[in-house]
């Protein structure tokens, strides 16, 4: 879908993800507090803020890695926090995807590249070996990994290749919602640029719905339709990406944009 088609779809459909008053504490310390937003189908929401602002805490609560203390998360209108364990597992296996900053956290390092992609398909019920291998080959191609590397383990791949493989593993099931935690972090600048380009193409071509956390404003400038700026666990500003970056209203966002706080 084109971004225009995405927008039309977004206008006619309800939010894919609705978050209300989400709060997570670590003892007396606030991880994130009273966070709320709606994400529409085909939309990319960027969450930015300095280190310790609560981005990772929020993402891990949204993605079901940690239970929040308060708040609601609705996926397609269904209350995710009330899901049974079996339903939650199904969600995490196929409908949702999570791209970790460190590919080692999202890959099985002892399994071949093809196996890493195929395994996710098998988790959602695929059984035919030839079809699985075909899909794995197709997805390796889409993330620019040569077909003759299909039987290599990720440990034989460069950092950029590992990250691309993690993306293939995540997207092969056609997830309806993708969470990304600093997907370009920890990579060389030139490798980052190539990955960002690839991500932008995939987001555009597949019409992905994404929540992406980063401290890198260049990443959200390229990928995100909307931005949420966090400070000390709270949302201080939200808006269209260009609006927030070109004309920040909040004093903290102004500092962030003028790169004083960029790490
Ligand atoms: N496991 C934990 N135990 C206690 N406090 C935590 C824990 N994880 C995060 N925090 C605290 O919660 C707050 C938000 O941290 P969080 O890691 O979510 O921020 P962040 O914006 O993702 O930072 P970074 O970009 O450095 O990852 C910080 O004050 C942090 O010290």
């Amino acid at each position: 879908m084109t971004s225009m088609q995405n927008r039309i779809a977004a206008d006619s459909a309800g939010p894919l993800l609705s978050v209300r008053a989400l709060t997570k504490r670590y003892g007396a310390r606030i991880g994130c507090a009273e966070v709320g937003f709606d994400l529409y189908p085909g939309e990319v929401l960027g969450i930015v803020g300095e280190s310790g602002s609560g981005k990772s805490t929020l993402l891990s609560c949204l993605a079901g890695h940690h239970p929040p203390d308060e708040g609601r998360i609705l996926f397609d209108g269904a209350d995710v926090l009330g899901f049974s364990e079996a339903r939650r597992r199904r969600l995490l296996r196929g409908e949702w995807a999570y791209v970790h900053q460190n590919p080692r956290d999202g890959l099985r390092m002892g399994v071949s590249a093809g196996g890493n992609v195929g395994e996710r398909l098998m988790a959602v019920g695929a059984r035919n070996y030839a079809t699985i291998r075909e899909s794995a080959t197709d997805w390796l191609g889409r993330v620019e990994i040569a077909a003759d590397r299909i039987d290599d383990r990720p440990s034989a791949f460069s950092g950029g290749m590992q990250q691309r493989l993690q993306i293939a593993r995540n997207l092969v099931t056609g997830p309806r919602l993708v969470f990304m935690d600093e997907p370009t972090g920890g990579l060389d600048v030139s490798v980052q640029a190539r990955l960002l380009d690839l991500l932008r193409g995939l987001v555009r071509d597949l019409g992905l719905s994404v929540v992406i956390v980063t401290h890198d404003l260049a990443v959200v400038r390229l990928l995100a339709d909307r931005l949420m700026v966090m400070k000390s666990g709270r949302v201080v500003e939200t808006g269209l990406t260009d609006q927030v970056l070109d004309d920040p209203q909040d004093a903290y966002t102004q500092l962030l944009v003028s790169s004083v706080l960029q790490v």
Side-chain angles (χ1 to χ4, degrees):
M1 269 207 289
T2 63
S3 60
M4 177 58 80
Q5 282 169 323
N6 286 339
R7 238 154 246 141
I8 292 166
D11 286 345
S12 55
L16 184 65
L17 188 71
S18 287
V19 177
R20 297 288 178 268
L22 203 74
T23 297
K24 172 78 181 172
R25 298 182 201 89
Y26 301 102
R29 192 190 308 271
I30 295 278
C32 63
E34 293 176 36
V35 177
F37 65 87
D38 287 324
L39 178 83
Y40 284 83
E43 200 177 26
V44 179
L45 174 71
I47 301 174
V48 297
E50 65 182 330
S51 182
S53 57
K55 308 181 296 293
S56 303
T57 299
L58 173 60
L59 199 70
S60 62
C61 287
L62 293 177
H65 298 167
H66 297 116
D69 295 309
E70 287 153 37
R72 301 186 73 198
I73 303 172
L74 302 180
F75 176 60
D76 227 358
D79 180 1
V80 173
L81 298 172
F83 277 6
S84 68
E85 191 50 32
R87 176 73 186 95
R88 203 179 72 90
R89 265 206 302 273
R90 265 208 318 280
L91 195 69
L92 298 182
R93 268 193 208 143
E95 290 169 86
W96 286 9
Y98 193 99
V99 177
H100 295 262
Q101 170 172 0
N102 186 342
R104 288 174 173 271
D105 296 332
L107 290 173
R108 293 229 286 137
M109 300 306 282
V111 172
S112 69
N116 262 285
V117 179
E119 191 177 59
R120 218 49 197 154
L121 280 174
M122 290 174 73
V124 294
R127 287 292 170 265
N128 183 301
Y129 177 79
T131 317
I132 292 171
R133 192 161 170 100
E134 201 178 307
S135 295
T137 310
D138 174 45
W139 265 98
L140 291 184
R142 290 205 212 185
V143 297
E144 299 166 8
I145 294 175
D148 65 0
R149 305 299 302 267
I150 190 166
D151 295 319
D152 289 356
R153 292 184 180 184
S155 48
F157 287 179
S158 68
M161 283 171 80
Q162 287 180 3
Q163 193 56 301
R164 282 182 273 128
L165 179 62
Q166 191 196 182
I167 289 164
R169 176 178 161 98
N170 270 281
L171 298 187
V172 70
T173 53
R176 298 176 62 202
L177 178 58
V178 184
F179 298 102
M180 296 184 188
D181 184 9
E182 300 271 10
T184 60
L187 297 170
D188 287 352
V189 174
S190 64
V191 178
Q192 270 186 18
R194 183 171 168 204
L195 186 68
L196 204 49
D197 226 34
L198 179 82
L199 274 177
R200 190 161 63 150
L202 289 169
V203 163
R204 194 185 44 217
D205 296 347
L206 303 172
L208 296 177
S209 308
V210 181
V211 179
I212 178 171
V213 156
T214 180
H215 65 264
D216 188 339
L217 299 183
V219 170
V220 285
R221 171 79 86 179
L222 269 179
L223 287 181
D225 299 304
R226 275 193 304 130
L227 276 194
M228 208 162 80
V229 183
M230 293 188 69
K231 177 178 186 278
S232 310
R234 293 177 186 273
V235 177
V236 294
E237 186 161 355
T238 62
L240 295 173
T241 301
D242 289 345
Q243 219 167 50
V244 172
L245 295 183
D246 295 339
D247 185 21
Q249 301 298 305
D250 182 85
Y252 172 78
T253 315
Q254 288 167 2
L255 275 176
L256 199 68
V257 169
S258 68
S259 79
V260 175
L261 292 178
Q262 285 185 51
V263 279

